[in-house]
Amino acid sequence: MTDVTDTLHLTVQQPRPGLAITTVVGEVDMHTAPTLHSEALEIIQRGHPLLALNLAQVGFCDSAGLSALIRLWHAAQAAGGLLSLAAVPARLMRMLSMTGIDSLLPVHATAAEAIAAMSAGQLTCADVHGSVTSYPTGGGHRELTEGEPAPFDNAQRQETSQAGNVVQG
């Protein structure tokens, strides 16, 4: 019989204004996913639209956990920011890959890399309310206008042209 736990621990660090790294400890399942969502959403709403989740100590994640991640991604986007993941365990990384969520969320090998990427301006919020966001294109920064989706992986980014065609970048 499997032990079910309703315990999920979150530890928050704020290395700079607007950026928070949250270490998640425990299992993210139907019992704990609501806690992850509500706690991380509160962090975003308190003025940290750039949020990285350090998942190194997550032993298990089910579909409720994946759903919570997607909802947090939407919340970060709505706040003019970004949700990224760090130190994702192999089993969870396979789930992210199989479901295509890894194409939405930037994944970093370590929390330090996630912080460095966000701090280095790989996503900066000129307006926390989302009117203008910029990201590096390799040759500088390109500004996105309000309502334009931001690419998340510059190596595999896709953009939608004016006609609605998908263009590989």
Side-chain angles (χ1 to χ4, degrees):
M1 181 176 209
T2 304
D3 289 334
V4 176
T5 178
D6 290 339
T7 305
L8 187 71
H9 298 283
L10 302 172
T11 305
V12 179
Q13 295 176 316
Q14 299 164 358
R16 71 172 179 83
L19 171 63
I21 181 84
T22 301
T23 300
V24 182
V25 179
E27 296 184 355
V28 184
D29 57 24
M30 64 185 241
H31 301 286
T32 60
T35 300
L36 173 63
H37 180 263
S38 65
E39 295 290 327
L41 182 60
E42 184 177 321
I43 293 165
I44 293 168
Q45 292 172 340
R46 282 192 322 237
H48 302 286
L50 298 174
L51 177 62
L53 297 179
N54 179 349
L55 303 176
Q57 298 179 57
V58 172
F60 176 78
C61 182
D62 67 7
S63 60
L66 294 179
S67 178
L69 293 176
I70 292 169
R71 290 183 6 238
L72 288 169
W73 172 76
H74 282 289
Q77 291 288 298
L82 175 70
L83 174 69
S84 66
L85 307 178
V88 178
R91 183 175 181 182
L92 177 53
M93 192 63 221
R94 282 191 301 276
M95 287 180 63
L96 295 173
S97 180
M98 286 176 23
T99 59
I101 295 171
D102 65 333
S103 66
L104 291 176
L105 300 171
V107 178
H108 303 278
T110 66
E113 286 181 18
I115 292 168
M118 292 176 151
S119 294
Q122 289 191 4
L123 177 75
T124 59
C125 300
D127 177 353
V128 174
H129 299 292
S131 63
V132 178
T133 303
S134 66
Y135 69 95
T137 61
H141 281 76
R142 173 176 172 257
E143 290 192 347
L144 301 176
T145 58
E146 188 169 12
E148 183 180 0
F152 301 104
D153 181 352
N154 289 334
Q156 299 175 354
R157 68 183 173 91
Q158 293 182 344
E159 293 181 3
T160 305
S161 71
Q162 294 276 345
N165 300 323
V166 174
V167 179
Q168 288 285 66

